[in-house]
């Protein structure tokens, strides 16, 4: 985890109201020089100040569009701020209000482990292996993927990217000898490939903590999709049993979950998709509908409040599904960042080195090119398509 120096004591003494007033004043003062981006998992009082909100995909697109602003203050986690730095021009400075806002999933794939895995897989098979990394990964891992002919993906477009990576391969026979190494979230990889029709036995889990990744050469050769053993500590809290429980409590609830959840949860859910997909689906649902949602608590509570008079929205289960690193971005860190910028200093600058940036940009640009610029197009592909599943 990166280091964040304690804030000057004045910031911890201020009331919420004072901080809000001062943030609003700093925003007005910085004007068009500043853009604040906020991920859907941010706290309500932070999201209130975001100029744009979105899921990881939408925020990457928004970052790429920032040509005029001088500063992008990223209310999200470290890998998102790195992506923004990679996608913006050199004159745009990207700031993360608290440097300890990392992502445990991204930390599960260190670049050295990925390089070792690549060599190990290469020794076991002559097949073409296409690396695909979820954007929830370090810039170094994105750079590796870009430098080895692969692409990034988000939970909004994993299917389109996997279809590109596995072009010529078919789950029902006929193979062009291609494989995918999917990093670092085994669940997004498994759920997406399964939704495309790949059976579970066409997948194998590569565990970077095991000698040889815990796989024999034969297992590597047999698998079409090699899944990295990584997960989201928030979404792994949801279980298939919780889905059963909510259905027995009230069968009229529809269950919608994020594809970072375990395969067994996604199979039992009615729908699965990115945070943006979850929001759009609940927005479009009929009055009176009831939703049990398997994703981070801040987003679910915000949706519940927004629709309280017309729809029922609740967490899938009464568990602590809080992303503690997203939570580190709070009003005081946001205000401190804006104060520093207004005083001519750039705090917590996120700056990816030029060589890594160039390679990571290839992987991010490939994703953006594959899915086009239409959010609706990516939305359509964001649902984990259970119609293609083989039970
Ligand atoms: P999306 O923003 O792609 O829905 O992913 C959720 C998440 O876990 C971000 O870290
Ligand atoms: Fe990482 Fe999960 Fe938090 Fe997203 S919700 S930032 S994947 S730990």
């Amino acid at each position: 985890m990166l280091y964040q120096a304690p804030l000057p004591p004045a910031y911890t003494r201020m009331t919420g109201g004072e901080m809000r007033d001062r943030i609003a004043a700093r925003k007005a003062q910085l004007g068009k020089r500043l853009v604040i981006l906020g991920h859907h998992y941010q706290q309500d009082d932070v999201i209130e100040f975001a100029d744009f909100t979105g899921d990881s995909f939408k925020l990457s697109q928004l970052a790429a569009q920032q040509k005029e602003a001088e500063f992008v203050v990223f209310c999200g986690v470290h890998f998102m701020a790195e992506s923004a730095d990679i996608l913006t021009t050199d004159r745009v400075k990207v700031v993360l209000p608290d440097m300890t806002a990392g992502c445990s999933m991204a930390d599960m794939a260190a670049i050295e482990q990925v390089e070792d895995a690549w060599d190990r897989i290469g020794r076991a098979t002559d097949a073409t292996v296409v690396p695909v990394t979820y954007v929830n990964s370090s810039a170094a891992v994105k750079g590796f993927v870009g430098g080895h002919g692969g692409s990034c993906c988000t939970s909004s477009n994993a299917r389109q990217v996997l279809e590109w990576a596995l072009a010529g391969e078919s789950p029902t026979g006929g193979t062009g000898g291609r494989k995918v190494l999917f990093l670092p979230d085994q669940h997004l990889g498994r759920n997406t490939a399964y939704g495309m029709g790949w059976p579970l036995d066409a997948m194998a889990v590569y565990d970077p903590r095991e000698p040889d990744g815990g796989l024999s050469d034969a297992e590597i050769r047999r698998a079409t999709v090699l899944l990295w053993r990584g997960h989201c500590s928030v979404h792994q809290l949801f279980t298939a049993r919780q889905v059963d429980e909510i259905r027995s409590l009230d069968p009229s609830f529809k269950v919608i979950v994020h594809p970072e959840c375990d395969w067994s949860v996604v199979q039992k859910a009615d729908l699965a998709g990115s945070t943006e997909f979850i929001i759009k689906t609940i927005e479009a649902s009929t009055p009176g509908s009831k939703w049990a949602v398997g994703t981070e608590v801040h987003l679910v509570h915000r949706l519940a409040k927004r629709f309280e008079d017309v729809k029922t929205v609740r967490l899938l289960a009464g568990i602590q599904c809080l992303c503690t690193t997203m939570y580190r971005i709070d009003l005081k860190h946001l205000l401190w960042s804006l104060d520093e910028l207004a005083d001519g200093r750039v705090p917590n600058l996120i700056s990816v080195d030029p060589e890594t940036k160039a390679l990571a940009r290839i992987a991010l640009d490939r994703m953006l090119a594959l899915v086009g610029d239409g959010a609706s197009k990516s939305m359509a592909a964001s649902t984990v398509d259970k119609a293609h599943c083989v039970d």
Side-chain angles (χ1 to χ4, degrees), residues 32-161:
K32 286 205 161 84
R33 296 173 69 203
L34 169 74
V35 168
I36 301 181
L37 299 181
H39 188 271
H40 293 309
Y41 294 163
Q42 290 289 299
Q43 305 176 47
D44 284 359
D45 46 10
V46 170
I47 226 64
E48 185 188 319
F49 291 105
D51 296 300
F52 301 102
T53 59
D55 65 0
S56 305
F57 177 65
K58 192 168 155 193
L59 292 175
S60 319
Q61 287 180 310
L62 284 162
Q65 287 160 16
Q66 300 312 313
K67 306 273 188 272
E68 278 180 39
E70 219 176 302
F71 311 116
V72 168
V73 171
F74 211 115
C75 297
V77 289
H78 191 265
F79 72 80
M80 297 179 180
E82 277 190 332
S83 296
D85 180 51
I86 294 161
L87 289 166
T88 48
T89 59
D90 286 346
R91 71 176 284 280
V92 180
K93 309 258 177 299
V94 177
V95 169
L96 183 65
D98 185 329
M99 290 301 261
T100 63
C103 166
S104 51
M105 178 199 286
D107 292 345
M108 288 174 197
I111 183 60
E112 299 77 15
Q113 292 175 318
V114 173
E115 285 164 352
D116 285 352
W118 192 254
D119 290 346
R120 194 271 170 276
I121 294 165
R123 283 196 302 277
T125 175
D126 292 332
T128 301
V129 183
V130 182
V132 171
T133 188
Y134 191 19
V135 286
N136 300 26
S137 52
S138 68
V141 169
K142 291 186 180 79
F144 179 91
V145 167
H148 289 81
S151 175
C152 287
C153 74
T154 72
S155 56
S156 277
N157 54 43
R159 181 174 180 138
Q160 285 151 292
V161 174

Side-chain angles (χ1 to χ4, degrees), residues 200-383:
L200 294 181
D201 62 12
M203 306 175 209
V205 177
Y206 182 95
D207 186 342
R209 288 157 304 180
E210 291 287 330
D212 288 335
L215 293 174
S216 68
D217 287 3
E219 285 169 323
I220 290 177
R221 282 197 285 272
R222 207 165 38 238
T224 303
V225 183
L226 292 158
L227 303 165
W228 191 264
R229 190 172 202 128
H231 63 264
C232 166
S233 45
V234 179
H235 291 96
Q236 73 154 8
L237 295 171
F238 296 108
T239 63
R241 189 171 165 177
Q242 293 160 356
V243 181
D244 291 339
E245 280 167 2
I246 202 96
R247 292 203 199 287
S248 61
L249 190 75
D250 183 345
S252 61
F253 266 98
K254 280 209 175 281
V255 176
I256 186 165
V257 300
H258 196 281
E260 287 174 15
C261 293
D262 186 81
W263 176 83
S264 60
V265 178
V266 170
Q267 289 311 297
K268 289 214 162 179
D270 297 291
L271 291 164
S274 75
T275 51
E276 197 73 15
F277 173 80
I278 291 171
I279 294 168
K280 293 254 158 50
T281 304
I282 294 176
E283 270 173 359
S285 65
T286 50
S289 54
K290 293 182 179 177
W291 293 95
V293 188
T295 196
E296 209 271 349
V297 61
H298 286 93
L299 173 58
V300 182
H301 283 172
R302 196 173 305 127
L303 286 168
K305 201 161 145 202
R306 182 173 157 202
F307 293 110
E308 65 188 343
D309 296 331
V310 270
K311 298 169 195 180
T312 305
V313 180
R314 57 155 288 174
L315 270 168
L316 174 55
I319 47 168
Q320 289 303 315
C321 47
L322 165 80
C323 179
T324 51
T325 47
M326 286 269 182
Y327 192 65
R328 286 172 201 257
I329 309 293
D330 55 12
L331 283 183
K332 50 183 184 301
H333 285 88
L334 178 58
L335 174 59
W336 169 74
S337 307
L338 301 188
D339 281 347
E340 290 289 298
L341 292 175
D343 289 347
R345 293 179 294 273
V346 181
N348 294 359
L349 176 69
I350 303 299
S351 179
V352 177
D353 73 83
E355 202 182 323
T356 306
K357 198 181 239 188
L359 291 172
R361 172 113 207 188
I362 296 172
L364 280 164
D365 279 348
R366 189 166 282 135
M367 169 185 83
L368 293 170
L370 276 170
V371 300
D373 59 358
S376 55
K377 191 174 163 199
S378 70
M379 282 293 303
S382 66
T383 323

